[in-house]
Amino acid sequence: MMCWYCQTENSSEGVCSFCGAPIDERRPERKNFVYLEQCEQPFSQLKYFHTYDLLLLLRLVRKERSDAFNQMRLIKKGAQEAQMDQETISFAEEQYLYYTKRARVLEGILIDRMGYKPKTINDKLLLSIDQKIKEYEKKA
């Protein structure tokens, strides 16, 4: 088998005889479409997402977290003026905490790969990364 990293041909399975990289481990591949529900996958599956896809997913999760925070704030403000049941308030808080934890998982994977977590993920950042990926793919 050919090593993904050093391109050395290996006769044995497991690890590369030259660089020691795992040969049978799959590498992250870019997806055509990323949607919010993918953030619910366990870490063992998220680590195989391409870095670009992780950035897109983190952007979606951060947006959902922000929306949940705003909704929670409105519900708490409305609960003071009108009688709101504790269940509605608890649900809003749970949504906010859920997306906070999901964002932290994605940020942790990105920190492992990039050495930092981006403060903002805007179109300019994504377009720049996309162009670099396409340039690399043309050369490869």
Side-chain angles (χ1 to χ4, degrees):
M1 289 186 92
M2 185 71 72
C3 176
W4 288 97
Y5 298 95
C6 68
Q7 303 301 313
T8 302
E9 186 65 40
N10 288 276
S11 58
S12 64
E13 301 251 346
V15 296
C16 175
S17 60
F18 179 77
C19 68
I23 292 177
D24 53 355
E25 189 173 311
R26 65 184 175 133
R27 293 182 79 184
E29 291 182 22
R30 212 166 146 187
K31 300 179 183 339
N32 292 328
F33 186 72
V34 177
Y35 51 93
L36 181 64
E37 287 75 21
Q38 287 177 315
C39 78
E40 297 172 5
Q41 294 182 14
F43 175 83
S44 60
Q45 292 179 356
L46 288 172
K47 73 178 184 178
Y48 291 113
F49 274 51
H50 193 277
T51 304
Y52 183 82
D53 294 331
L54 287 171
L55 288 167
L56 287 173
L57 191 55
L58 179 57
R59 183 180 183 181
L60 292 172
V61 170
R62 284 179 174 175
K63 169 82 171 88
E64 198 66 26
R65 179 181 178 260
S66 177
D67 291 347
F69 178 80
N70 291 333
Q71 184 180 20
M72 179 180 67
R73 194 179 57 169
L74 286 173
I75 288 173
K76 284 188 175 184
K77 187 183 269 188
Q80 294 171 355
E81 297 169 7
Q83 293 286 339
M84 285 215 157
D85 61 340
Q86 187 60 36
E87 226 175 273
T88 305
I89 297 169
S90 294
F91 178 75
E93 290 172 349
E94 286 172 15
Q95 287 295 300
Y96 173 72
L97 292 174
Y98 176 79
Y99 286 113
T100 298
K101 289 179 182 180
R102 284 291 160 192
R104 287 181 182 155
V105 170
L106 295 169
E107 289 169 349
I109 296 170
L110 287 169
I111 289 169
D112 290 346
R113 290 195 189 166
M114 301 168 57
Y116 74 102
K117 64 179 178 186
K119 186 174 182 176
T120 58
I121 302 169
N122 54 25
D123 291 336
K124 184 179 176 182
L125 172 70
L126 294 172
L127 184 61
S128 171
I129 293 171
D130 185 51
Q131 287 175 343
K132 289 176 184 177
I133 291 169
K134 287 179 180 174
E135 285 174 16
Y136 174 77
E137 288 173 348
K138 283 181 185 178
K139 290 178 184 178

